[in-house]
Amino acid sequence: MNSDSESFHYQLLSWVLADTATTFESSSVDRQEIDGVDNPLKQATTSTSGQPESGVKPQTFQLGEIPTVQERFQAVLKRRLQLQIQNQPPLFPWETQLLDYPDYADEQSLVLVPAWGWVAQQSKLNLPIALPESIFRQLLEKCQVLLTSSVPLGAKLVQVVEELFPNEGQALNDIAGLVLRSNYRSPETLEAMPNIQSEYIDLKQRQQMALSLLAAKQLLDNLTIPVSLTNPVVEREWLTSAGILKLKVEYQSQGQTLKLRVEGKLPTPGIFTLKGQGTRAVGQSASSGNLSVELHCQQFNQTYTLEVDFPEIEQQPLVFAINPTT
């Protein structure tokens, strides 16, 4: 596919994404026109209720009547409540008895648990705005499930995002076609990426579809590692909450034997599990640093999976698909 065709299709995709930005600006003008009036609701309220209605005599009280009694009652009630709280302090829902808490927490006792260990990779994607963490997580989990599926990439993209947009199969197929024809790594694509000021939740549905499909395509590309005898070494990186995971996959030929070797640089203690059909190799590191695993390839054109476990930051492993070809 030539560069002009890729540029044309990405311009179409950019137009889909940028439509919301225009809509957002026009709606801002409408709000400014409304905001030009100094709180019209307040003005209307003042004009209708600022003066007592004619014919209605305001209520008055004589000294010693109801207001004085109410003030006395409130003072007695307040004093009684204060005494009750002093004698029997209320407990928090998790307490069974009164506990003393320190005025400050020791910094060493503060342990920050990341919301999700793999989410930091989103900052490495070429998207005009960030996706909500829940959306990104759902897309990544679905990509993991479909990673080794044999369905075409376009259908795979639609399957990744279809749960977010039920009953929108045709629209998803149309936008997926634009995503497939665009090269998000090219300089032209990065320059043409629209500047969207809205949050994801404020976008129109077709903009959300385009962003979700773009993210899904990049995630599948990041998680798929194709190697061959002519291109035997491929590297990948994945940003985690503990730092960068670096992978180096080698497809080695030793006479009639083919071997698949994975070397990694871990930001935190972890486990590598390399799997094929009926074969597996496991490597474990108790600290950050280097780790490697390897398998002899018994069949040609077989897909292998690499599971990366980082127990200290995430319970679910991150799965890569390795596709060696001759």
Side-chain angles (χ1 to χ4, degrees), residues 7-308:
S7 176
F8 169 73
H9 287 101
Y10 195 80
Q11 287 176 2
L12 288 177
L13 182 60
S14 299
W15 174 79
V16 172
L17 288 169
D19 181 73
T20 294
T22 304
T23 305
F24 180 79
E25 291 175 0
S26 63
S27 62
S28 297
V29 173
D30 294 339
R31 285 196 298 271
Q32 290 173 0
E33 291 177 356
I34 295 174
D35 294 341
V37 178
D38 240 352
N39 201 338
L41 180 59
K42 181 178 179 182
Q43 291 180 359
T45 305
T46 303
S47 62
T48 57
S49 61
Q51 298 294 333
E53 296 182 5
S54 59
V56 179
K57 184 178 180 180
Q59 186 177 6
T60 59
F61 297 96
Q62 298 297 325
L63 184 63
E65 293 185 355
I66 294 178
T68 303
V69 175
Q70 287 179 339
E71 292 176 2
R72 173 66 176 167
F73 173 76
Q74 291 172 358
V76 172
L77 183 61
K78 180 179 179 180
R79 191 159 50 248
R80 185 169 297 177
L81 288 174
Q82 288 175 340
L83 291 173
Q84 184 177 353
I85 291 174
Q86 290 176 1
N87 296 331
Q88 289 184 326
L91 301 177
F92 288 109
W94 61 85
E95 293 179 329
T96 58
Q97 60 183 2
L98 189 63
L99 300 175
D100 290 330
Y101 296 94
D103 294 334
Y104 65 92
D106 186 1
E107 290 185 2
Q108 295 181 353
S109 67
L110 293 176
V111 179
L112 299 180
V113 179
W116 197 43
W118 311 121
V119 74
Q121 177 66 13
Q122 183 178 181
S123 65
K124 299 296 184 181
L125 303 184
N126 293 327
L127 298 174
I129 61 173
L131 299 173
E133 182 176 327
S134 60
I135 300 295
F136 180 80
R137 179 168 187 164
Q138 184 172 345
L139 293 177
L140 180 53
E141 288 176 345
K142 197 68 175 179
C143 285
Q144 301 270 273
V145 173
L146 297 170
L147 194 57
T148 57
S149 172
S150 60
V151 301
L153 180 56
K156 192 179 293 186
L157 290 178
V158 173
Q159 290 179 21
V160 169
V161 306
E162 63 184 357
E163 290 184 3
L164 298 174
F165 309 101
N167 304 320
E168 294 292 344
Q170 186 58 54
L172 289 173
N173 275 296
D174 294 341
I175 300 176
L178 296 176
V179 171
L180 285 176
R181 294 177 178 88
S182 65
N183 182 4
Y184 61 86
R185 292 190 180 96
S186 69
E188 292 80 8
T189 295
L190 296 177
E191 292 177 0
M193 193 74 74
N195 182 18
I196 299 177
Q197 301 297 328
S198 305
E199 298 291 333
Y200 176 87
I201 195 173
D202 297 323
L203 300 179
K204 291 182 178 179
Q205 188 177 62
R206 63 176 178 272
Q207 279 83 39
Q208 294 179 350
M209 290 180 184
L211 281 173
S212 300
L213 288 165
L214 274 173
K217 183 174 187 291
Q218 294 179 47
L219 287 173
L220 288 172
D221 287 347
N222 291 344
L223 295 169
T224 303
I225 307 176
V227 290
S228 65
L229 295 178
T230 56
N231 186 32
V233 179
V234 176
E235 297 183 354
R236 283 286 187 273
E237 291 186 354
W238 190 281
L239 182 61
T240 75
S241 58
I244 299 177
L245 164 67
K246 296 183 178 181
L247 296 175
K248 180 181 179 181
V249 179
E250 295 185 65
Y251 192 37
Q252 302 173 348
S253 175
Q254 300 175 345
Q256 297 297 322
T257 305
L258 295 174
K259 184 171 66 173
L260 194 62
R261 178 178 175 82
V262 179
E263 298 179 0
K265 188 172 183 180
L266 314 184
T268 183
I271 305 169
F272 282 175
T273 305
L274 183 60
K275 295 180 181 180
Q277 290 184 357
T279 60
R280 61 184 292 167
V282 180
Q284 183 171 358
S285 175
S287 62
S288 60
N290 298 325
L291 180 64
S292 63
V293 288
E294 60 182 44
L295 272 181
H296 290 285
C297 300
Q298 300 177 349
Q299 298 180 11
F300 295 108
N301 301 326
Q302 176 186 336
T303 298
Y304 294 80
T305 59
L306 174 68
E307 294 183 2
V308 179

